Amino acid sequence: MNKWVSKTAAMLLLASVAAGCSSGGSTNGDAKESGASGTKPKETLTFWMKKQLFDDQNKLIQERAKQFGTENNVNVNIELIAYEDFYPKWSAAIESSTTPDVSFFGYQEVGQFYAKNVLEDVSDLVKTVEGGNSEIQESMKKAITFQGKQYAVPFWTETQVLYYRKDMLQKAGFDHPPKTWDEFRTMAKALTDASKGIYGAGLGYGKGNSDAEFLTRGIIWSYGGSLDTKDGKTVIANSPETVEATKFIRDLFLTDKSTPPSSVGWDDSGNNKSYLSGQSAMIFNVGSLLGTIKNDNPELYANTGIAPYPAGPKGTFIPGISNNLGIFKDSKNKELAKKFVAYMLATDWYKTWIEKGAPLTGPVYSKLMSEPVWQDEKNKAFVESVKGFYFLGYPGEYNPKAGEVFNLRLVNDAFQKLLLESGYTPEAAVKDLQAKIEETYNKK
């Protein structure tokens, strides 16, 4: 999952010194190139792109950028950057007015940079892209829309789904994955055999665990609770619904003992390792794990089932992951940047790029969901989940403070304490969460 890193002022200062370094590869045009004597040098477009897990996608991006340069007689400088290295580069570039013309953004950064007034309104570009291709899924546009305007163009989506061991479920007498959280709890308990080191629910709560931050929100939302506000100001975390969801999670760990003993300290890789080793029968993760299993463990791949999030009393709520392309206000080539973004989203090329990363990277266009790759039994849930996406800040719209609450891992901290301290009740945990979230929202 994307990891959203809060940076202190000191860290940003250090980062600005090294901001010229990229953790990925680059395809550089010759910015000094000129035609015949006396002609103007070629324009240069700079593009910062998130380095993808699959090398085929990185190569395709570089080739496409180079092709744009050739067709438009411009130099394209593309940097492939690891997600965790982006924030210091963005911060240093904004400070020095040396921003790229086009950049990748998670939706949370779109919100943060919108609040700083450094992003271009690209509502017209979204319409152009849709007009030349097809409709972008509404949930994708919602995440980057503020006061009726879009400040980025959705590029791809990722989805957290339920992974389950079909063989283990069948052996325990279940012929389908859990459709509700109550069913999930029942199955997890039945699948657990601590004497053999097997546990039904591979859920974890380490400090840096973004998987847990997402999953916890999905469960709480499905019970009718929230960890944010309705209006961007008034925190509504301390509710009976949030307490009820918190009790459900506590009971999985402490009453049923359906989770591995070490899971309270897991980082994001913990559930992957637990599933791959056969320790956990059910986990929640994005599509990168399925790609790994398919390549490295055909037997486990055959025994792996994929399903959407289970439903709670209020329905199914899936924490959305939206990846976008945006344009900084300081871009030196805004019109060229818009042309480039539209070029990268042209369906004939885009379809191939998306499928090279399936099921990790999902399409933003509704019509591509019906392509054969997404009708595969194991891939279908990844695209079908998108219509059920909700974003940080729910039930209000995303706002930078909601992103800050996520970055601070306040939820993970509260649930770690709940699961490690016997006298700490769900009511106390939710009350403390309310206070800490309020403190974050009230900071200037």
Side-chain angles (χ1 to χ4, degrees), residues 139-153:
S139 62
M140 292 291 91
K141 289 186 287 187
K142 183 178 180 181
I144 42 82
T145 298
F146 299 91
Q147 297 186 337
K149 297 177 180 179
Q150 286 85 49
Y151 287 85
V153 181

Side-chain angles (χ1 to χ4, degrees), residues 31-43 73:
K32 297 179 181 178
E33 181 181 339
S34 60
S37 178
T39 61
K40 283 180 63 177
K42 283 184 180 181
E43 286 185 285
N73 195 33

Side-chain angles (χ1 to χ4, degrees), residues 17-36:
V17 176
C21 299
S22 165
S23 63
S26 65
T27 299
N28 300 317
D30 183 359
K32 297 179 181 178
E33 181 181 339
S34 60

Side-chain angles (χ1 to χ4, degrees), residues 14-93:
L14 288 172
S16 66
V17 176
C21 299
S22 165
S23 63
S26 65
T27 299
N28 300 317
D30 183 359
K32 297 179 181 178
E33 181 181 339
S34 60
S37 178
T39 61
K40 283 180 63 177
K42 283 184 180 181
E43 286 185 285
T44 297
L45 180 91
T46 302
F47 174 36
W48 288 1
M49 175 62 183
K50 180 187 172 188
K51 189 174 183 180
Q52 299 299 100
L53 176 66
F54 303 109
D55 286 339
D56 283 350
Q57 285 192 301
N58 294 321
K59 290 174 184 174
L60 281 174
I61 282 282
Q62 290 174 314
E63 290 169 1
R64 183 68 170 174
K66 184 177 181 180
Q67 185 180 0
F68 177 86
T70 300
E71 292 180 14
N72 292 276
N73 195 33
V74 297
N75 296 298
V76 179
N77 177 18
I78 174 174
E79 291 188 61
L80 301 179
I81 304 168
Y83 183 80
E84 57 269 21
D85 294 334
F86 257 105
Y87 207 96
K89 286 180 68 69
W90 282 321
S91 300

Side-chain angles (χ1 to χ4, degrees), residues 59 271 349 359:
K59 290 174 184 174
N271 56 359
W349 175 85

Side-chain angles (χ1 to χ4, degrees), residues 51-332:
K51 189 174 183 180
Q52 299 299 100
L53 176 66
F54 303 109
D55 286 339
D56 283 350
Q57 285 192 301
N58 294 321
K59 290 174 184 174
L60 281 174
I61 282 282
Q62 290 174 314
E63 290 169 1
R64 183 68 170 174
K66 184 177 181 180
Q67 185 180 0
F68 177 86
T70 300
E71 292 180 14
N72 292 276
N73 195 33
V74 297
N75 296 298
V76 179
N77 177 18
I78 174 174
E79 291 188 61
L80 301 179
I81 304 168
Y83 183 80
E84 57 269 21
D85 294 334
F86 257 105
Y87 207 96
K89 286 180 68 69
W90 282 321
S91 300
I94 291 169
E95 182 69 23
S96 60
S97 297
T98 57
T99 55
D101 298 295
V102 179
S103 179
F104 152 85
F105 298 102
Y107 79 88
Q108 68 283 357
E109 287 96 30
V110 176
Q112 290 170 10
F113 293 143
Y114 159 76
K116 293 179 183 292
N117 197 32
V118 297
L119 290 182
E120 190 76 3
D121 172 3
V122 292
S123 304
D124 59 337
L125 178 56
V126 172
K127 290 179 181 177
T128 297
V129 168
E130 288 187 306
N133 299 282
S134 71
E135 179 189 10
I136 294 173
Q137 297 185 74
E138 203 58 41
S139 62
M140 292 291 91
K141 289 186 287 187
K142 183 178 180 181
I144 42 82
T145 298
F146 299 91
Q147 297 186 337
K149 297 177 180 179
Q150 286 85 49
Y151 287 85
V153 181
F155 195 27
W156 82 93
T157 180
E158 297 174 24
T159 307
Q160 212 180 38
V161 297
L162 169 68
Y163 285 70
Y164 64 94
R165 286 283 299 266
K166 293 191 291 187
D167 54 340
M168 288 185 178
L169 264 67
Q170 289 168 0
K171 188 177 179 180
F174 302 110
D175 60 3
H176 64 274
K179 295 178 181 178
T180 67
W181 287 115
D182 283 343
E183 280 190 0
F184 178 84
R185 182 181 175 188
T186 298
M187 290 185 182
K189 188 174 181 180
L191 288 160
T192 297
D193 186 344
S195 67
K196 296 180 180 178
I198 297 173
Y199 298 87
L203 315 183
Y205 275 103
K207 171 66 177 176
N209 194 324
S210 60
D211 287 347
E213 286 277 340
F214 275 121
L215 180 62
T216 306
R217 281 168 171 78
I219 295 172
I220 288 173
W221 295 341
S222 76
Y223 273 75
S226 174
L227 291 171
D228 284 293
T229 75
K230 281 187 177 179
D231 54 9
K233 298 175 184 177
T234 308
V235 178
I236 56 172
N238 192 3
S239 70
E241 294 81 5
T242 304
V243 170
E244 195 64 26
T246 301
K247 288 178 180 177
F248 167 79
I249 295 170
R250 178 204 58 185
D251 288 346
L252 279 172
F253 282 77
L254 301 183
T255 303
D256 303 344
K257 300 187 185 303
S258 297
T259 59
S262 64
S263 61
V264 177
W266 279 355
D267 61 15
D268 278 332
S269 68
N271 56 359
N272 297 31
K273 294 174 182 176
S274 184
Y275 187 81
L276 290 169
S277 69
Q279 182 187 41
S280 293
M282 297 186 290
I283 68 165
F284 295 87
N285 214 299
V286 294
S288 53
L289 177 59
L290 190 62
T292 299
I293 296 170
K294 186 175 183 179
N295 292 330
D296 299 342
N297 195 332
E299 183 179 350
L300 179 56
Y301 183 77
N303 273 323
T304 292
I306 300 293
Y309 265 42
K314 299 299 183 181
T316 301
F317 289 75
I318 301 167
I321 304 173
S322 162
N323 301 283
N324 311 272
L325 298 181
I327 299 170
F328 281 106
K329 283 188 173 181
D330 280 343
S331 166
K332 307 299 187 293

